[in-house]
Amino acid sequence: MSDRTRDKIVSIIGNSRLARSIDTSISSGLETSFFQLGPGKTICDVFKKSLDSAIRDIENHPRGQLFKRLLEFGPHNPDEPKILDCDGKTTLSDPECGSCVEFIFSHMVNRFKGELAELLAIEPCIGLIHNLQKEGHLPLSLLFYWGEIIKERRNITGTRKGEVSWGGFTKGADGLIVEKYYEPDRPRRRCDIKGVCEIKSMRQSHLKLANQIDRHILRLAGGLYLWREEYSPESININNKKVLRIIVFPSTWKLSRKWKSVTTDRGRIIVVDDSHDLPIQNKLEEIKPNFWKITLGWSQESIEQAAYEMTFWYMSQVGKSIYGTKPLPKGWEYMTPEEAGYNSIKEKLYYIPLRYISSRQERLAVKLYNVYCFSYPLGVDSKEMLWPQDFPDNDVPGKN
């Protein structure tokens, strides 16, 4: 990975060690002949495609524009009465404030978490397939498709009991292992399904993931689209008992909550303890025949921390688009447009809990504020809004 690529990834996810792991994982995919990732020939290309996919999903979401309005106009003043309606263009109503907080927490953060987990899972999944090929459990001629280039048809329940009809193509399994071949007297290629992979950024039960894989297998009865090739139901062959099932989870270790106060020439900052090595490595485990579990070396908390950093980075990009064409608010003149985006979300989240929103939405707003202002490890557990005085000065000298 070039220094420029590394610095770019670190600037977005806020973790140099995680950036190296992403680099290693993507590199293994780019260097493996049977791995099919679609367009993208460099680490930067693949990471950007993953990032753009999440951003596109966010901006196409019905509440995507709501988020931009939050950064630019924010909520009504705390002393104003409950506001249920608005013009849909400027200041958010109280229901919109609550909806926007839910959107950041449940959609934006989760979307970035999913992309990170998929990138980290590339290397151990390829390693498992190599092992199974050496042992003769998988053919050498297979292809391993990954991510958005796998599409299955939507399952639409018919009007009659047990009747199923198929809609358009939509995102399929996270990974699909296939073997393609021609049969005599058949002009189109056929496709044998050898394995299905499902990846999660949080811990879930084996049974739940196994059921999700089974649903993907059932949906293949409607057809399959692999990058630039479409396969009709008749051209797909599946032996359900022999299909390899792979599930991928993060580890469960926790981030350190230790911190120290450091005085710099620009004021006091809070520095969170950061260990240099991962506590564990990727782990492969066969739960039962043809059913494998991969546990990532990176934990659920570490991936979630990076996802929050990615949402924070995205807010700086929205700030750049907003304040690149209009004057900065009074008192913010010294900031860049990106810095104004960072500052704007902190300010808006400070005021949202003072509006008429639900108790759950208030808790989420406080949690987001704490994480963005005081870091994920220090902010994620607190149910009350944090203040600088919660982290007293312990006079550790430092450099800017």
Side-chain angles (χ1 to χ4, degrees), residues 30 35 41 52 58 69 89 142-143 156 182 226 281 320 330 353 380:
L30 295 174
F35 189 71
K41 297 182 179 180
D52 289 346
I58 289 167
R69 282 174 52 209
K89 297 178 180 179
L142 63 77
L143 293 171
I156 304 174
Y182 286 99
L226 295 175
Q281 300 300 311
K320 183 178 179 180
K330 187 177 179 180
V380 71

Side-chain angles (χ1 to χ4, degrees), residues 79-357:
D79 56 351
E80 292 188 26
K82 182 183 290 188
I83 307 293
L84 299 178
D85 297 311
C86 66
D87 60 9
K89 297 178 180 179
T90 55
T91 307
L92 275 65
S93 67
D94 293 329
E96 285 179 325
C97 286
S99 180
C100 200
V101 168
E102 297 263 10
F103 175 67
I104 297 171
F105 186 82
S106 64
H107 186 79
M108 288 180 64
V109 173
N110 286 341
R111 192 64 182 82
F112 285 124
K113 281 167 56 180
E115 291 295 329
L116 288 171
E118 287 190 22
L119 291 176
L120 292 168
I122 293 173
E123 182 186 25
C125 285
I126 289 175
L128 173 61
I129 290 174
H130 276 309
N131 292 341
L132 294 176
Q133 285 178 318
K134 290 177 183 178
E135 295 170 0
H137 298 301
L138 285 174
L140 298 178
S141 57
L142 63 77
L143 293 171
F144 187 21
Y145 286 85
W146 194 262
E148 285 191 326
I149 62 175
I150 306 168
K151 297 188 183 299
E152 303 161 2
R153 288 197 180 276
R154 292 184 178 88
N155 187 324
I156 304 174
T157 303
T159 54
R160 297 179 182 178
K161 186 176 181 180
E163 180 184 355
V164 176
S165 59
W166 302 102
F169 282 108
T170 187
K171 187 180 184 304
D174 294 323
L176 203 63
I177 305 168
V178 305
E179 186 177 29
K180 298 179 180 181
Y181 61 94
Y182 286 99
E183 284 186 344
D185 303 324
R186 288 179 180 267
R188 298 188 66 180
R189 281 206 288 185
R190 294 180 62 79
C191 177
D192 275 2
I193 307 300
K194 298 295 184 181
V196 182
C197 177
E198 198 62 31
I199 303 159
K200 294 300 175 186
S201 60
M202 61 187 71
R203 303 292 293 191
Q204 294 186 12
S205 72
H206 299 166
L207 179 60
K208 184 174 182 179
L209 267 293
N211 289 338
Q212 190 167 344
I213 288 176
D214 288 340
R215 287 195 294 272
H216 283 301
I217 292 173
L218 289 173
R219 283 172 58 189
L220 294 176
L224 177 65
Y225 190 89
L226 295 175
W227 197 3
R228 295 168 180 165
E229 294 182 305
E230 182 177 344
Y231 291 86
S232 65
E234 296 76 20
S235 62
I236 300 172
N237 181 50
I238 310 171
N239 186 331
N240 195 30
K241 292 183 179 180
K242 293 185 177 181
V243 170
L244 174 67
R245 289 161 166 81
I246 305 172
I247 58 176
V248 184
F249 295 111
S251 302
T252 57
W253 55 267
K254 300 289 186 180
L255 295 168
S256 172
R257 266 58 172 174
K258 295 180 180 179
W259 61 272
K260 60 184 177 181
S261 174
V262 177
T263 302
T264 73
D265 54 7
R266 293 185 62 179
R268 190 167 66 92
I269 60 173
I270 306 300
V271 178
V272 180
D273 177 55
D274 186 21
S275 59
H276 296 289
D277 299 311
L278 282 175
I280 64 172
Q281 300 300 311
N282 296 329
K283 179 182 177 182
L284 308 181
E285 178 185 357
E286 188 174 20
I287 299 174
K288 59 183 180 180
N290 287 328
F291 190 3
W292 285 82
K293 180 180 76 170
I294 296 176
T295 303
L296 299 174
W298 289 95
S299 71
Q300 180 174 320
E301 278 202 354
S302 61
I303 292 172
E304 187 167 270
Q305 179 188 36
Y308 272 97
E309 289 290 336
M310 294 173 80
T311 64
F312 206 27
W313 168 85
Y314 176 66
M315 292 163 192
S316 76
Q317 302 307 295
V318 176
K320 183 178 179 180
S321 69
I322 293 172
Y323 298 113
T325 57
K326 64 181 291 187
L328 290 165
K330 187 177 179 180
W332 295 11
E333 293 86 357
Y334 67 94
M335 297 182 185
T336 66
E338 292 93 334
E339 290 171 336
Y342 287 135
N343 203 55
S344 179
I345 190 61
K346 293 178 183 179
E347 179 190 60
K348 305 308 187 290
L349 288 170
Y350 176 84
Y351 286 110
I352 283 179
L354 303 177
R355 295 303 306 169
Y356 295 86
I357 58 177

Side-chain angles (χ1 to χ4, degrees), residues 374-390:
F374 297 98
S375 80
Y376 176 90
L378 302 183
V380 71
D381 298 328
S382 179
K383 296 180 180 180
E384 304 292 334
M385 189 170 285
L386 296 173
W387 302 92
Q389 51 266 37
D390 292 319

